[in-house]
Amino acid sequence: MPRGSAGRWLFWLGFYGAILSGWAGLMQMTASPLPGLTAAEYWDALCISAENADPVALFAMWGLMSAAMMLPTFVPAVRVFGELGSARASDGASMAALVSGYGAVWLVFSALAAALQLGLAKAGAMTGVGQSLSPSVSVGLLATAGAYQFSTVKEACLSKCRHPLMFFMQHWAPGLTPAFAMGARLGLWCVGCCWLLMLLGLIGGAMNLLWMGAATLFMVLEKLPEIGRYLTKPLGAALVIGAVAQLVTVFSSGG
C-alpha cells in the first residue's frame, strides 16, 4: 500500500472513531449514574445547582454534540479533499488538519451555546439539561429557525457546504496550515448553515438522543445537493407552523 494511501486509511479510521466516540459519550451522559434519578434530573442537578452552574459540564456536553452531529455532515467535503489530495500531494495529516480546523470552529460554537444555555437557565427560562421553560423562548426559536431556512444567508451557506469541490478549487493551497484554514472556513459556513438547527435542541432538551439522531440525519441530507434542495424550505415551513401552533396553545391556555 502506498504511504499516502496508508495515511488516508489511518485518517478515516480515526475520523469515524471520533464520531463513534462522540455518540458513545453522549449515550453515557444521558444515562444517570445515580440510582433513583433520571438522566434529565441528574444533569439538572449537575449543571444548575441552587445558585451555581458548571460551565465546563455544559461545554463538554455541547462539544460532544458538535462532534457527534456535525462530523458526519463533513464527510462529503473530506472525501473531496482526499481525492484532490491524491493528485496534489496531500496526505492523511493534511486531512486531519482540515478536520481540526472544522472542529475548532464548532468548539467555539459549543462554548457560545453553553453560555447561552447557562444564561437562560440562570434566568429561570431553561432547565439544566437545556429544556425550555419559557413559551416565548420556544416560540421565538422555532419561528427564527423556520424563517432562517428561507433566508439568502442560509442559501449561501448551504451552497458552500453542498459544493465543496468548488470551494477547494478556489482556496486550495498545500500544507497543514492551509488545510487547517480551509477546514476553519468551511466550519464557519457550516455553523452559518446549522447553528439554529442545533439550538432547536433547547426546546425539548439538548441531551435528547432521539432529537440528536433526527437532527443529524436531516443535516447530513440537507447538505446533499440532489436531496437537500427538497428539504430546506419544507422544514422551514414546518418550524414556522410549529411556532404558530405553540403560540396559539399559549394564548388559549391563558399563559
Side-chain angles (χ1 to χ4, degrees):
M1 179 184 292
R3 184 175 178 180
S5 297
R8 283 189 284 274
W9 184 84
L10 288 173
F11 162 79
W12 282 115
L13 188 64
F15 181 83
Y16 286 114
I19 294 175
L20 290 175
S21 297
W23 281 105
L26 289 175
M27 292 178 70
Q28 182 66 30
M29 292 174 85
T30 56
S32 172
L34 300 179
L37 281 183
T38 66
E41 291 168 339
Y42 170 74
W43 270 89
D44 246 354
L46 176 65
C47 297
I48 305 294
S49 57
E51 295 179 353
N52 256 337
D54 187 350
V56 175
L58 288 178
F59 174 69
M61 180 182 76
W62 278 98
L64 278 175
M65 285 172 58
S66 294
M69 298 174 68
M70 300 316 304
L71 283 180
T73 76
F74 199 45
V75 170
V78 180
R79 287 193 180 280
V80 170
F81 182 86
E83 290 167 1
L84 286 174
S86 299
R88 300 191 179 201
S90 179
D91 54 15
S94 296
M95 296 169 74
L98 179 85
V99 174
S100 296
Y102 180 82
V105 172
W106 275 104
L107 282 179
V108 173
F109 168 84
S110 297
L112 295 175
L116 173 63
Q117 183 177 336
L118 180 62
L120 289 171
K122 285 194 168 184
M126 190 161 290
T127 68
V129 289
Q131 185 171 9
S132 174
L133 298 173
S134 167
S136 60
V137 170
S138 299
V139 170
L141 187 53
L142 282 169
T144 303
Y148 190 69
Q149 293 292 104
F150 295 92
S151 70
T152 55
V153 176
K154 172 79 178 193
E155 189 60 35
C157 294
L158 270 177
S159 174
K160 298 293 184 181
C161 295
R162 287 174 177 170
H163 304 287
L165 178 59
M166 296 175 61
F167 173 87
F168 289 127
M169 294 299 288
Q170 181 180 359
H171 300 288
W172 185 276
L176 299 183
T177 300
F180 183 92
M182 285 187 283
R185 292 181 76 164
L186 281 172
L188 289 172
W189 286 113
C190 187
V191 169
C193 175
C194 301
W195 68 283
L196 277 166
L197 296 179
M198 289 287 285
L199 291 181
L200 284 177
L202 296 179
I203 294 178
M207 290 301 292
N208 186 312
L209 281 175
L210 181 61
W211 167 78
M212 285 187 281
T216 302
L217 179 61
F218 178 86
M219 289 185 288
V220 167
L221 294 176
E222 189 183 37
K223 290 185 179 181
L224 301 178
E226 296 305 315
I227 299 176
R229 57 181 175 165
Y230 298 110
L231 299 177
T232 301
K233 289 181 172 57
L235 176 66
L239 291 174
V240 171
I241 291 171
V244 172
Q246 185 149 353
L247 191 61
V248 169
T249 301
V250 170
F251 278 113
S252 63
S253 63

PDB file of all heavy atoms in Angstrom, residues 30-67:
ATOM      1  N   THR A  30     -26.251  10.617  28.860  1.00  0.00           N
ATOM      2  CA  THR A  30     -27.700  10.579  29.018  1.00  0.00           C
ATOM      3  C   THR A  30     -28.144   9.485  29.977  1.00  0.00           C
ATOM      4  O   THR A  30     -29.334   9.375  30.273  1.00  0.00           O
ATOM      5  CB  THR A  30     -28.391  10.360  27.658  1.00  0.00           C
ATOM      6  OG1 THR A  30     -27.893   9.165  27.050  1.00  0.00           O
ATOM      7  CG2 THR A  30     -28.163  11.538  26.736  1.00  0.00           C
ATOM      8  N   ALA A  31     -27.202   8.679  30.445  1.00  0.00           N
ATOM      9  CA  ALA A  31     -27.533   7.643  31.428  1.00  0.00           C
ATOM     10  C   ALA A  31     -27.135   8.143  32.810  1.00  0.00           C
ATOM     11  O   ALA A  31     -25.975   8.471  33.057  1.00  0.00           O
ATOM     12  CB  ALA A  31     -26.790   6.354  31.105  1.00  0.00           C
ATOM     13  N   SER A  32     -28.093   8.235  33.697  1.00  0.00           N
ATOM     14  CA  SER A  32     -27.801   8.737  35.039  1.00  0.00           C
ATOM     15  C   SER A  32     -27.006   7.705  35.835  1.00  0.00           C
ATOM     16  O   SER A  32     -27.383   6.547  35.933  1.00  0.00           O
ATOM     17  CB  SER A  32     -29.104   9.048  35.784  1.00  0.00           C
ATOM     18  OG  SER A  32     -28.813   9.349  37.138  1.00  0.00           O
ATOM     19  N   PRO A  33     -25.877   8.119  36.446  1.00  0.00           N
ATOM     20  CA  PRO A  33     -25.092   7.185  37.256  1.00  0.00           C
ATOM     21  C   PRO A  33     -25.623   7.045  38.677  1.00  0.00           C
ATOM     22  O   PRO A  33     -25.091   6.244  39.447  1.00  0.00           O
ATOM     23  CB  PRO A  33     -23.700   7.829  37.254  1.00  0.00           C
ATOM     24  CG  PRO A  33     -23.981   9.283  37.183  1.00  0.00           C
ATOM     25  CD  PRO A  33     -25.233   9.426  36.340  1.00  0.00           C
ATOM     26  N   LEU A  34     -26.636   7.797  39.032  1.00  0.00           N
ATOM     27  CA  LEU A  34     -27.149   7.774  40.401  1.00  0.00           C
ATOM     28  C   LEU A  34     -28.489   7.054  40.464  1.00  0.00           C
ATOM     29  O   LEU A  34     -29.415   7.400  39.719  1.00  0.00           O
ATOM     30  CB  LEU A  34     -27.301   9.196  40.943  1.00  0.00           C
ATOM     31  CG  LEU A  34     -26.014  10.035  41.000  1.00  0.00           C
ATOM     32  CD1 LEU A  34     -26.324  11.418  41.541  1.00  0.00           C
ATOM     33  CD2 LEU A  34     -24.961   9.346  41.857  1.00  0.00           C
ATOM     34  N   PRO A  35     -28.631   6.057  41.307  1.00  0.00           N
ATOM     35  CA  PRO A  35     -29.893   5.345  41.433  1.00  0.00           C
ATOM     36  C   PRO A  35     -31.027   6.284  41.843  1.00  0.00           C
ATOM     37  O   PRO A  35     -30.836   7.175  42.672  1.00  0.00           O
ATOM     38  CB  PRO A  35     -29.618   4.311  42.541  1.00  0.00           C
ATOM     39  CG  PRO A  35     -28.129   4.223  42.638  1.00  0.00           C
ATOM     40  CD  PRO A  35     -27.602   5.552  42.220  1.00  0.00           C
ATOM     41  N   GLY A  36     -32.185   6.075  41.236  1.00  0.00           N
ATOM     42  CA  GLY A  36     -33.358   6.866  41.591  1.00  0.00           C
ATOM     43  C   GLY A  36     -33.475   8.171  40.864  1.00  0.00           C
ATOM     44  O   GLY A  36     -34.465   8.888  41.035  1.00  0.00           O
ATOM     45  N   LEU A  37     -32.465   8.531  40.058  1.00  0.00           N
ATOM     46  CA  LEU A  37     -32.516   9.778  39.287  1.00  0.00           C
ATOM     47  C   LEU A  37     -32.560   9.456  37.809  1.00  0.00           C
ATOM     48  O   LEU A  37     -31.827   8.596  37.334  1.00  0.00           O
ATOM     49  CB  LEU A  37     -31.282  10.649  39.563  1.00  0.00           C
ATOM     50  CG  LEU A  37     -31.225  11.471  40.844  1.00  0.00           C
ATOM     51  CD1 LEU A  37     -29.953  12.306  40.852  1.00  0.00           C
ATOM     52  CD2 LEU A  37     -32.436  12.368  40.994  1.00  0.00           C
ATOM     53  N   THR A  38     -33.421  10.143  37.088  1.00  0.00           N
ATOM     54  CA  THR A  38     -33.394  10.038  35.634  1.00  0.00           C
ATOM     55  C   THR A  38     -32.195  10.824  35.112  1.00  0.00           C
ATOM     56  O   THR A  38     -31.598  11.618  35.836  1.00  0.00           O
ATOM     57  CB  THR A  38     -34.677  10.607  35.002  1.00  0.00           C
ATOM     58  OG1 THR A  38     -34.717  12.026  35.252  1.00  0.00           O
ATOM     59  CG2 THR A  38     -35.917   9.951  35.590  1.00  0.00           C
ATOM     60  N   ALA A  39     -31.857  10.596  33.846  1.00  0.00           N
ATOM     61  CA  ALA A  39     -30.742  11.331  33.254  1.00  0.00           C
ATOM     62  C   ALA A  39     -30.999  12.836  33.289  1.00  0.00           C
ATOM     63  O   ALA A  39     -30.095  13.630  33.578  1.00  0.00           O
ATOM     64  CB  ALA A  39     -30.515  10.867  31.813  1.00  0.00           C
ATOM     65  N   ALA A  40     -32.238  13.241  32.991  1.00  0.00           N
ATOM     66  CA  ALA A  40     -32.572  14.670  32.991  1.00  0.00           C
ATOM     67  C   ALA A  40     -32.402  15.259  34.390  1.00  0.00           C
ATOM     68  O   ALA A  40     -31.852  16.356  34.559  1.00  0.00           O
ATOM     69  CB  ALA A  40     -33.994  14.884  32.496  1.00  0.00           C
ATOM     70  N   GLU A  41     -32.856  14.528  35.417  1.00  0.00           N
ATOM     71  CA  GLU A  41     -32.731  15.019  36.790  1.00  0.00           C
ATOM     72  C   GLU A  41     -31.265  15.101  37.203  1.00  0.00           C
ATOM     73  O   GLU A  41     -30.848  16.045  37.876  1.00  0.00           O
ATOM     74  CB  GLU A  41     -33.499  14.102  37.741  1.00  0.00           C
ATOM     75  CG  GLU A  41     -35.012  14.180  37.573  1.00  0.00           C
ATOM     76  CD  GLU A  41     -35.732  13.065  38.319  1.00  0.00           C
ATOM     77  OE1 GLU A  41     -35.093  12.030  38.621  1.00  0.00           O
ATOM     78  OE2 GLU A  41     -36.930  13.225  38.594  1.00  0.00           O
ATOM     79  N   TYR A  42     -30.479  14.107  36.777  1.00  0.00           N
ATOM     80  CA  TYR A  42     -29.054  14.115  37.110  1.00  0.00           C
ATOM     81  C   TYR A  42     -28.357  15.313  36.490  1.00  0.00           C
ATOM     82  O   TYR A  42     -27.595  16.020  37.157  1.00  0.00           O
ATOM     83  CB  TYR A  42     -28.402  12.820  36.628  1.00  0.00           C
ATOM     84  CG  TYR A  42     -26.895  12.841  36.708  1.00  0.00           C
ATOM     85  CD1 TYR A  42     -26.237  12.732  37.930  1.00  0.00           C
ATOM     86  CD2 TYR A  42     -26.127  12.970  35.549  1.00  0.00           C
ATOM     87  CE1 TYR A  42     -24.856  12.771  38.002  1.00  0.00           C
ATOM     88  CE2 TYR A  42     -24.744  13.003  35.614  1.00  0.00           C
ATOM     89  CZ  TYR A  42     -24.118  12.893  36.843  1.00  0.00           C
ATOM     90  OH  TYR A  42     -22.749  12.924  36.906  1.00  0.00           O
ATOM     91  N   TRP A  43     -28.635  15.561  35.201  1.00  0.00           N
ATOM     92  CA  TRP A  43     -27.980  16.689  34.536  1.00  0.00           C
ATOM     93  C   TRP A  43     -28.490  18.019  35.048  1.00  0.00           C
ATOM     94  O   TRP A  43     -27.761  19.000  35.103  1.00  0.00           O
ATOM     95  CB  TRP A  43     -28.152  16.574  33.019  1.00  0.00           C
ATOM     96  CG  TRP A  43     -27.008  15.808  32.458  1.00  0.00           C
ATOM     97  CD1 TRP A  43     -26.910  14.460  32.297  1.00  0.00           C
ATOM     98  CD2 TRP A  43     -25.755  16.347  32.049  1.00  0.00           C
ATOM     99  NE1 TRP A  43     -25.678  14.130  31.825  1.00  0.00           N
ATOM    100  CE2 TRP A  43     -24.956  15.254  31.642  1.00  0.00           C
ATOM    101  CE3 TRP A  43     -25.227  17.630  31.980  1.00  0.00           C
ATOM    102  CZ2 TRP A  43     -23.662  15.419  31.177  1.00  0.00           C
ATOM    103  CZ3 TRP A  43     -23.938  17.794  31.510  1.00  0.00           C
ATOM    104  CH2 TRP A  43     -23.164  16.696  31.121  1.00  0.00           C
ATOM    105  N   ASP A  44     -29.742  18.063  35.437  1.00  0.00           N
ATOM    106  CA  ASP A  44     -30.259  19.279  36.066  1.00  0.00           C
ATOM    107  C   ASP A  44     -29.463  19.596  37.330  1.00  0.00           C
ATOM    108  O   ASP A  44     -29.064  20.727  37.571  1.00  0.00           O
ATOM    109  CB  ASP A  44     -31.737  19.087  36.425  1.00  0.00           C
ATOM    110  CG  ASP A  44     -32.636  19.997  35.602  1.00  0.00           C
ATOM    111  OD1 ASP A  44     -32.097  20.837  34.861  1.00  0.00           O
ATOM    112  OD2 ASP A  44     -33.857  19.854  35.700  1.00  0.00           O
ATOM    113  N   ALA A  45     -29.253  18.564  38.142  1.00  0.00           N
ATOM    114  CA  ALA A  45     -28.524  18.762  39.389  1.00  0.00           C
ATOM    115  C   ALA A  45     -27.061  19.116  39.127  1.00  0.00           C
ATOM    116  O   ALA A  45     -26.462  19.931  39.822  1.00  0.00           O
ATOM    117  CB  ALA A  45     -28.610  17.498  40.241  1.00  0.00           C
ATOM    118  N   LEU A  46     -26.469  18.497  38.096  1.00  0.00           N
ATOM    119  CA  LEU A  46     -25.064  18.744  37.801  1.00  0.00           C
ATOM    120  C   LEU A  46     -24.845  20.130  37.208  1.00  0.00           C
ATOM    121  O   LEU A  46     -23.923  20.847  37.587  1.00  0.00           O
ATOM    122  CB  LEU A  46     -24.549  17.675  36.823  1.00  0.00           C
ATOM    123  CG  LEU A  46     -23.100  17.840  36.338  1.00  0.00           C
ATOM    124  CD1 LEU A  46     -22.142  17.674  37.512  1.00  0.00           C
ATOM    125  CD2 LEU A  46     -22.792  16.809  35.256  1.00  0.00           C
ATOM    126  N   CYS A  47     -25.704  20.499  36.250  1.00  0.00           N
ATOM    127  CA  CYS A  47     -25.475  21.738  35.510  1.00  0.00           C
ATOM    128  C   CYS A  47     -25.980  22.975  36.226  1.00  0.00           C
ATOM    129  O   CYS A  47     -25.378  24.031  36.153  1.00  0.00           O
ATOM    130  CB  CYS A  47     -26.135  21.654  34.129  1.00  0.00           C
ATOM    131  SG  CYS A  47     -25.447  20.352  33.102  1.00  0.00           S
ATOM    132  N   ILE A  48     -27.112  22.848  36.859  1.00  0.00           N
ATOM    133  CA  ILE A  48     -27.686  24.019  37.532  1.00  0.00           C
ATOM    134  C   ILE A  48     -28.053  23.629  38.954  1.00  0.00           C
ATOM    135  O   ILE A  48     -29.112  23.090  39.207  1.00  0.00           O
ATOM    136  CB  ILE A  48     -28.945  24.520  36.795  1.00  0.00           C
ATOM    137  CG1 ILE A  48     -28.618  24.797  35.333  1.00  0.00           C
ATOM    138  CG2 ILE A  48     -29.493  25.773  37.439  1.00  0.00           C
ATOM    139  CD1 ILE A  48     -27.642  25.936  35.111  1.00  0.00           C
ATOM    140  N   SER A  49     -27.148  23.844  39.877  1.00  0.00           N
ATOM    141  CA  SER A  49     -27.467  23.618  41.271  1.00  0.00           C
ATOM    142  C   SER A  49     -28.128  24.875  41.816  1.00  0.00           C
ATOM    143  O   SER A  49     -28.439  25.787  41.064  1.00  0.00           O
ATOM    144  CB  SER A  49     -26.196  23.255  42.046  1.00  0.00           C
ATOM    145  OG  SER A  49     -25.242  24.275  41.890  1.00  0.00           O
ATOM    146  N   ALA A  50     -28.302  24.949  43.098  1.00  0.00           N
ATOM    147  CA  ALA A  50     -29.094  26.034  43.685  1.00  0.00           C
ATOM    148  C   ALA A  50     -28.698  27.416  43.162  1.00  0.00           C
ATOM    149  O   ALA A  50     -29.506  28.135  42.612  1.00  0.00           O
ATOM    150  CB  ALA A  50     -28.961  25.986  45.203  1.00  0.00           C
ATOM    151  N   GLU A  51     -27.445  27.784  43.314  1.00  0.00           N
ATOM    152  CA  GLU A  51     -27.034  29.094  42.838  1.00  0.00           C
ATOM    153  C   GLU A  51     -25.828  28.993  41.915  1.00  0.00           C
ATOM    154  O   GLU A  51     -25.314  29.995  41.451  1.00  0.00           O
ATOM    155  CB  GLU A  51     -26.677  30.007  44.031  1.00  0.00           C
ATOM    156  CG  GLU A  51     -27.873  30.312  44.907  1.00  0.00           C
ATOM    157  CD  GLU A  51     -27.463  31.185  46.081  1.00  0.00           C
ATOM    158  OE1 GLU A  51     -26.261  31.420  46.252  1.00  0.00           O
ATOM    159  OE2 GLU A  51     -28.351  31.622  46.817  1.00  0.00           O
ATOM    160  N   ASN A  52     -25.388  27.773  41.683  1.00  0.00           N
ATOM    161  CA  ASN A  52     -24.169  27.565  40.921  1.00  0.00           C
ATOM    162  C   ASN A  52     -24.457  26.814  39.639  1.00  0.00           C
ATOM    163  O   ASN A  52     -25.379  26.037  39.555  1.00  0.00           O
ATOM    164  CB  ASN A  52     -23.167  26.731  41.721  1.00  0.00           C
ATOM    165  CG  ASN A  52     -22.067  27.585  42.271  1.00  0.00           C
ATOM    166  OD1 ASN A  52     -21.803  28.654  41.758  1.00  0.00           O
ATOM    167  ND2 ASN A  52     -21.450  27.114  43.332  1.00  0.00           N
ATOM    168  N   ALA A  53     -23.612  27.030  38.646  1.00  0.00           N
ATOM    169  CA  ALA A  53     -23.708  26.288  37.400  1.00  0.00           C
ATOM    170  C   ALA A  53     -22.324  25.786  37.042  1.00  0.00           C
ATOM    171  O   ALA A  53     -21.319  26.359  37.450  1.00  0.00           O
ATOM    172  CB  ALA A  53     -24.249  27.180  36.302  1.00  0.00           C
ATOM    173  N   ASP A  54     -22.273  24.714  36.322  1.00  0.00           N
ATOM    174  CA  ASP A  54     -20.998  24.138  35.905  1.00  0.00           C
ATOM    175  C   ASP A  54     -20.807  24.371  34.412  1.00  0.00           C
ATOM    176  O   ASP A  54     -21.264  23.581  33.588  1.00  0.00           O
ATOM    177  CB  ASP A  54     -20.977  22.639  36.218  1.00  0.00           C
ATOM    178  CG  ASP A  54     -19.605  22.033  35.968  1.00  0.00           C
ATOM    179  OD1 ASP A  54     -18.753  22.732  35.375  1.00  0.00           O
ATOM    180  OD2 ASP A  54     -19.394  20.869  36.339  1.00  0.00           O
ATOM    181  N   PRO A  55     -20.144  25.460  34.015  1.00  0.00           N
ATOM    182  CA  PRO A  55     -19.965  25.758  32.595  1.00  0.00           C
ATOM    183  C   PRO A  55     -19.121  24.713  31.886  1.00  0.00           C
ATOM    184  O   PRO A  55     -19.282  24.488  30.686  1.00  0.00           O
ATOM    185  CB  PRO A  55     -19.292  27.132  32.591  1.00  0.00           C
ATOM    186  CG  PRO A  55     -18.687  27.273  33.936  1.00  0.00           C
ATOM    187  CD  PRO A  55     -19.549  26.504  34.876  1.00  0.00           C
ATOM    188  N   VAL A  56     -18.208  24.055  32.615  1.00  0.00           N
ATOM    189  CA  VAL A  56     -17.363  23.031  31.985  1.00  0.00           C
ATOM    190  C   VAL A  56     -18.211  21.845  31.541  1.00  0.00           C
ATOM    191  O   VAL A  56     -18.027  21.296  30.446  1.00  0.00           O
ATOM    192  CB  VAL A  56     -16.254  22.576  32.954  1.00  0.00           C
ATOM    193  CG1 VAL A  56     -15.453  21.426  32.350  1.00  0.00           C
ATOM    194  CG2 VAL A  56     -15.331  23.740  33.295  1.00  0.00           C
ATOM    195  N   ALA A  57     -19.171  21.450  32.398  1.00  0.00           N
ATOM    196  CA  ALA A  57     -20.049  20.337  32.039  1.00  0.00           C
ATOM    197  C   ALA A  57     -20.893  20.682  30.823  1.00  0.00           C
ATOM    198  O   ALA A  57     -21.075  19.858  29.921  1.00  0.00           O
ATOM    199  CB  ALA A  57     -20.952  19.979  33.226  1.00  0.00           C
ATOM    200  N   LEU A  58     -21.399  21.903  30.769  1.00  0.00           N
ATOM    201  CA  LEU A  58     -22.203  22.321  29.625  1.00  0.00           C
ATOM    202  C   LEU A  58     -21.365  22.381  28.350  1.00  0.00           C
ATOM    203  O   LEU A  58     -21.801  21.964  27.276  1.00  0.00           O
ATOM    204  CB  LEU A  58     -22.838  23.681  29.893  1.00  0.00           C
ATOM    205  CG  LEU A  58     -23.971  23.711  30.915  1.00  0.00           C
ATOM    206  CD1 LEU A  58     -24.468  25.141  31.104  1.00  0.00           C
ATOM    207  CD2 LEU A  58     -25.110  22.813  30.498  1.00  0.00           C
ATOM    208  N   PHE A  59     -20.138  22.884  28.465  1.00  0.00           N
ATOM    209  CA  PHE A  59     -19.260  22.946  27.299  1.00  0.00           C
ATOM    210  C   PHE A  59     -18.927  21.542  26.803  1.00  0.00           C
ATOM    211  O   PHE A  59     -18.902  21.280  25.596  1.00  0.00           O
ATOM    212  CB  PHE A  59     -17.980  23.711  27.635  1.00  0.00           C
ATOM    213  CG  PHE A  59     -16.965  23.696  26.531  1.00  0.00           C
ATOM    214  CD1 PHE A  59     -17.198  24.394  25.353  1.00  0.00           C
ATOM    215  CD2 PHE A  59     -15.788  22.983  26.661  1.00  0.00           C
ATOM    216  CE1 PHE A  59     -16.263  24.379  24.320  1.00  0.00           C
ATOM    217  CE2 PHE A  59     -14.846  22.968  25.641  1.00  0.00           C
ATOM    218  CZ  PHE A  59     -15.092  23.666  24.465  1.00  0.00           C
ATOM    219  N   ALA A  60     -18.668  20.620  27.745  1.00  0.00           N
ATOM    220  CA  ALA A  60     -18.382  19.236  27.357  1.00  0.00           C
ATOM    221  C   ALA A  60     -19.570  18.626  26.635  1.00  0.00           C
ATOM    222  O   ALA A  60     -19.410  17.908  25.635  1.00  0.00           O
ATOM    223  CB  ALA A  60     -18.016  18.414  28.593  1.00  0.00           C
ATOM    224  N   MET A  61     -20.772  18.907  27.135  1.00  0.00           N
ATOM    225  CA  MET A  61     -21.983  18.382  26.507  1.00  0.00           C
ATOM    226  C   MET A  61     -22.115  18.896  25.085  1.00  0.00           C
ATOM    227  O   MET A  61     -22.328  18.128  24.144  1.00  0.00           O
ATOM    228  CB  MET A  61     -23.209  18.788  27.331  1.00  0.00           C
ATOM    229  CG  MET A  61     -24.534  18.288  26.766  1.00  0.00           C
ATOM    230  SD  MET A  61     -25.946  18.865  27.754  1.00  0.00           S
ATOM    231  CE  MET A  61     -26.059  20.573  27.210  1.00  0.00           C
ATOM    232  N   TRP A  62     -21.970  20.206  24.888  1.00  0.00           N
ATOM    233  CA  TRP A  62     -22.109  20.787  23.556  1.00  0.00           C
ATOM    234  C   TRP A  62     -20.957  20.370  22.639  1.00  0.00           C
ATOM    235  O   TRP A  62     -21.138  20.199  21.430  1.00  0.00           O
ATOM    236  CB  TRP A  62     -22.210  22.314  23.643  1.00  0.00           C
ATOM    237  CG  TRP A  62     -23.595  22.764  23.965  1.00  0.00           C
ATOM    238  CD1 TRP A  62     -24.086  23.112  25.192  1.00  0.00           C
ATOM    239  CD2 TRP A  62     -24.693  22.896  23.050  1.00  0.00           C
ATOM    240  NE1 TRP A  62     -25.415  23.452  25.099  1.00  0.00           N
ATOM    241  CE2 TRP A  62     -25.805  23.334  23.799  1.00  0.00           C
ATOM    242  CE3 TRP A  62     -24.837  22.686  21.682  1.00  0.00           C
ATOM    243  CZ2 TRP A  62     -27.049  23.565  23.208  1.00  0.00           C
ATOM    244  CZ3 TRP A  62     -26.074  22.915  21.094  1.00  0.00           C
ATOM    245  CH2 TRP A  62     -27.154  23.347  21.859  1.00  0.00           C
ATOM    246  N   GLY A  63     -19.759  20.208  23.204  1.00  0.00           N
ATOM    247  CA  GLY A  63     -18.634  19.746  22.394  1.00  0.00           C
ATOM    248  C   GLY A  63     -18.857  18.347  21.864  1.00  0.00           C
ATOM    249  O   GLY A  63     -18.592  18.057  20.683  1.00  0.00           O
ATOM    250  N   LEU A  64     -19.364  17.456  22.708  1.00  0.00           N
ATOM    251  CA  LEU A  64     -19.672  16.106  22.267  1.00  0.00           C
ATOM    252  C   LEU A  64     -20.794  16.108  21.232  1.00  0.00           C
ATOM    253  O   LEU A  64     -20.754  15.368  20.241  1.00  0.00           O
ATOM    254  CB  LEU A  64     -20.078  15.235  23.461  1.00  0.00           C
ATOM    255  CG  LEU A  64     -18.950  14.633  24.292  1.00  0.00           C
ATOM    256  CD1 LEU A  64     -19.519  13.899  25.496  1.00  0.00           C
ATOM    257  CD2 LEU A  64     -18.098  13.691  23.456  1.00  0.00           C
ATOM    258  N   MET A  65     -21.801  16.940  21.460  1.00  0.00           N
ATOM    259  CA  MET A  65     -22.894  17.042  20.490  1.00  0.00           C
ATOM    260  C   MET A  65     -22.380  17.514  19.136  1.00  0.00           C
ATOM    261  O   MET A  65     -22.766  16.974  18.091  1.00  0.00           O
ATOM    262  CB  MET A  65     -23.969  18.004  21.007  1.00  0.00           C
ATOM    263  CG  MET A  65     -24.840  17.431  22.104  1.00  0.00           C
ATOM    264  SD  MET A  65     -25.941  18.686  22.822  1.00  0.00           S
ATOM    265  CE  MET A  65     -26.841  19.238  21.377  1.00  0.00           C
ATOM    266  N   SER A  66     -21.504  18.502  19.137  1.00  0.00           N
ATOM    267  CA  SER A  66     -20.964  19.023  17.883  1.00  0.00           C
ATOM    268  C   SER A  66     -20.158  17.961  17.151  1.00  0.00           C
ATOM    269  O   SER A  66     -20.265  17.809  15.928  1.00  0.00           O
ATOM    270  CB  SER A  66     -20.094  20.253  18.147  1.00  0.00           C
ATOM    271  OG  SER A  66     -20.878  21.324  18.635  1.00  0.00           O
ATOM    272  N   ALA A  67     -19.346  17.208  17.891  1.00  0.00           N
ATOM    273  CA  ALA A  67     -18.547  16.155  17.264  1.00  0.00           C
ATOM    274  C   ALA A  67     -19.440  15.060  16.689  1.00  0.00           C
ATOM    275  O   ALA A  67     -19.273  14.631  15.539  1.00  0.00           O
ATOM    276  CB  ALA A  67     -17.564  15.570  18.273  1.00  0.00           C
TER     277      ALA A  67
END
